[in-house]
mmCIF file with all atom_site columns, all heavy atoms in Angstrom:
data_model
loop_
_atom_site.group_PDB
_atom_site.id
_atom_site.type_symbol
_atom_site.label_atom_id
_atom_site.label_alt_id
_atom_site.label_comp_id
_atom_site.label_asym_id
_atom_site.label_entity_id
_atom_site.label_seq_id
_atom_site.pdbx_PDB_ins_code
_atom_site.Cartn_x
_atom_site.Cartn_y
_atom_site.Cartn_z
_atom_site.occupancy
_atom_site.B_iso_or_equiv
_atom_site.pdbx_formal_charge
_atom_site.auth_seq_id
_atom_site.auth_comp_id
_atom_site.auth_asym_id
_atom_site.auth_atom_id
_atom_site.pdbx_PDB_model_num
ATOM 1  N N   . GLY A 1 21  ? 106.820 129.585 70.396  1.00 84.00 ? 370 GLY A N   1
ATOM 2  C CA  . GLY A 1 21  ? 106.613 130.544 69.312  1.00 84.00 ? 370 GLY A CA  1
ATOM 3  C C   . GLY A 1 21  ? 107.839 131.425 69.145  1.00 84.00 ? 370 GLY A C   1
ATOM 4  O O   . GLY A 1 21  ? 108.366 131.958 70.131  1.00 84.00 ? 370 GLY A O   1
ATOM 5  N N   . ILE A 1 104 ? 102.000 130.589 61.805  1.00 67.00 ? 453 ILE A N   1
ATOM 6  C CA  . ILE A 1 104 ? 100.661 130.997 62.236  1.00 67.00 ? 453 ILE A CA  1
ATOM 7  C C   . ILE A 1 104 ? 100.343 132.340 61.595  1.00 67.00 ? 453 ILE A C   1
ATOM 8  O O   . ILE A 1 104 ? 101.208 133.000 60.988  1.00 67.00 ? 453 ILE A O   1
ATOM 9  C CB  . ILE A 1 104 ? 100.579 131.071 63.772  1.00 67.00 ? 453 ILE A CB  1
ATOM 10 C CG1 . ILE A 1 104 ? 101.680 131.985 64.338  1.00 67.00 ? 453 ILE A CG1 1
ATOM 11 C CG2 . ILE A 1 104 ? 100.703 129.696 64.387  1.00 67.00 ? 453 ILE A CG2 1
ATOM 12 C CD1 . ILE A 1 104 ? 101.644 132.097 65.847  1.00 67.00 ? 453 ILE A CD1 1
ATOM 13 N N   . ASP A 1 182 ? 70.740  78.986  92.660  1.00 86.00 ? 531 ASP A N   1
ATOM 14 C CA  . ASP A 1 182 ? 71.387  78.206  93.725  1.00 86.00 ? 531 ASP A CA  1
ATOM 15 C C   . ASP A 1 182 ? 72.826  78.626  93.982  1.00 86.00 ? 531 ASP A C   1
ATOM 16 O O   . ASP A 1 182 ? 73.522  78.022  94.799  1.00 86.00 ? 531 ASP A O   1
ATOM 17 C CB  . ASP A 1 182 ? 71.344  76.709  93.402  1.00 86.00 ? 531 ASP A CB  1
ATOM 18 C CG  . ASP A 1 182 ? 72.077  76.368  92.107  1.00 86.00 ? 531 ASP A CG  1
ATOM 19 O OD1 . ASP A 1 182 ? 72.407  77.307  91.361  1.00 86.00 ? 531 ASP A OD1 1
ATOM 20 O OD2 . ASP A 1 182 ? 72.307  75.169  91.865  1.00 86.00 ? 531 ASP A OD2 1
ATOM 21 N N   . GLN A 1 381 ? 91.461  60.038  55.893  1.00 72.00 ? 730 GLN A N   1
ATOM 22 C CA  . GLN A 1 381 ? 91.198  58.608  55.843  1.00 72.00 ? 730 GLN A CA  1
ATOM 23 C C   . GLN A 1 381 ? 91.303  57.962  57.215  1.00 72.00 ? 730 GLN A C   1
ATOM 24 O O   . GLN A 1 381 ? 90.568  57.033  57.535  1.00 72.00 ? 730 GLN A O   1
ATOM 25 C CB  . GLN A 1 381 ? 92.183  57.922  54.877  1.00 72.00 ? 730 GLN A CB  1
ATOM 26 C CG  . GLN A 1 381 ? 91.956  58.269  53.414  1.00 72.00 ? 730 GLN A CG  1
ATOM 27 C CD  . GLN A 1 381 ? 90.585  57.835  52.925  1.00 72.00 ? 730 GLN A CD  1
ATOM 28 O OE1 . GLN A 1 381 ? 90.192  56.689  53.072  1.00 72.00 ? 730 GLN A OE1 1
ATOM 29 N NE2 . GLN A 1 381 ? 89.855  58.769  52.328  1.00 72.00 ? 730 GLN A NE2 1
ATOM 30 N N   . VAL A 1 414 ? 76.945  57.331  48.001  1.00 90.00 ? 763 VAL A N   1
ATOM 31 C CA  . VAL A 1 414 ? 76.511  58.631  48.482  1.00 90.00 ? 763 VAL A CA  1
ATOM 32 C C   . VAL A 1 414 ? 77.152  59.814  47.759  1.00 90.00 ? 763 VAL A C   1
ATOM 33 O O   . VAL A 1 414 ? 76.579  60.906  47.735  1.00 90.00 ? 763 VAL A O   1
ATOM 34 C CB  . VAL A 1 414 ? 76.763  58.708  50.009  1.00 90.00 ? 763 VAL A CB  1
ATOM 35 C CG1 . VAL A 1 414 ? 78.239  58.974  50.301  1.00 90.00 ? 763 VAL A CG1 1
ATOM 36 C CG2 . VAL A 1 414 ? 75.863  59.714  50.681  1.00 90.00 ? 763 VAL A CG2 1
ATOM 37 N N   . SER A 1 420 ? 71.410  66.625  52.196  1.00 88.00 ? 769 SER A N   1
ATOM 38 C CA  . SER A 1 420 ? 70.150  66.578  52.945  1.00 88.00 ? 769 SER A CA  1
ATOM 39 C C   . SER A 1 420 ? 69.676  65.145  53.143  1.00 88.00 ? 769 SER A C   1
ATOM 40 O O   . SER A 1 420 ? 68.798  64.888  53.980  1.00 88.00 ? 769 SER A O   1
ATOM 41 C CB  . SER A 1 420 ? 69.080  67.404  52.229  1.00 88.00 ? 769 SER A CB  1
ATOM 42 O OG  . SER A 1 420 ? 68.895  66.934  50.891  1.00 88.00 ? 769 SER A OG  1
ATOM 43 N N   . LEU A 1 422 ? 71.165  62.982  54.648  1.00 91.00 ? 771 LEU A N   1
ATOM 44 C CA  . LEU A 1 422 ? 71.577  62.580  55.994  1.00 91.00 ? 771 LEU A CA  1
ATOM 45 C C   . LEU A 1 422 ? 70.798  63.307  57.090  1.00 91.00 ? 771 LEU A C   1
ATOM 46 O O   . LEU A 1 422 ? 70.996  63.028  58.269  1.00 91.00 ? 771 LEU A O   1
ATOM 47 C CB  . LEU A 1 422 ? 73.075  62.858  56.189  1.00 91.00 ? 771 LEU A CB  1
ATOM 48 C CG  . LEU A 1 422 ? 74.005  62.323  55.097  1.00 91.00 ? 771 LEU A CG  1
ATOM 49 C CD1 . LEU A 1 422 ? 75.433  62.744  55.393  1.00 91.00 ? 771 LEU A CD1 1
ATOM 50 C CD2 . LEU A 1 422 ? 73.894  60.805  54.993  1.00 91.00 ? 771 LEU A CD2 1
ATOM 51 N N   . PHE A 1 581 ? 87.631  66.463  115.352 1.00 92.00 ? 930 PHE A N   1
ATOM 52 C CA  . PHE A 1 581 ? 87.231  65.055  115.278 1.00 92.00 ? 930 PHE A CA  1
ATOM 53 C C   . PHE A 1 581 ? 88.150  64.321  114.301 1.00 92.00 ? 930 PHE A C   1
ATOM 54 O O   . PHE A 1 581 ? 88.725  64.921  113.394 1.00 92.00 ? 930 PHE A O   1
ATOM 55 C CB  . PHE A 1 581 ? 85.775  64.934  114.835 1.00 92.00 ? 930 PHE A CB  1
ATOM 56 C CG  . PHE A 1 581 ? 85.484  65.431  113.442 1.00 92.00 ? 930 PHE A CG  1
ATOM 57 C CD1 . PHE A 1 581 ? 85.267  64.535  112.402 1.00 92.00 ? 930 PHE A CD1 1
ATOM 58 C CD2 . PHE A 1 581 ? 85.432  66.787  113.161 1.00 92.00 ? 930 PHE A CD2 1
ATOM 59 C CE1 . PHE A 1 581 ? 85.012  64.985  111.120 1.00 92.00 ? 930 PHE A CE1 1
ATOM 60 C CE2 . PHE A 1 581 ? 85.172  67.237  111.886 1.00 92.00 ? 930 PHE A CE2 1
ATOM 61 C CZ  . PHE A 1 581 ? 84.960  66.332  110.860 1.00 92.00 ? 930 PHE A CZ  1
#
Side-chain angles (χ1 to χ4, degrees):
I453 54 180
D531 61 348
Q730 291 298 307
V763 78
S769 57
L771 310 177
F930 64 105

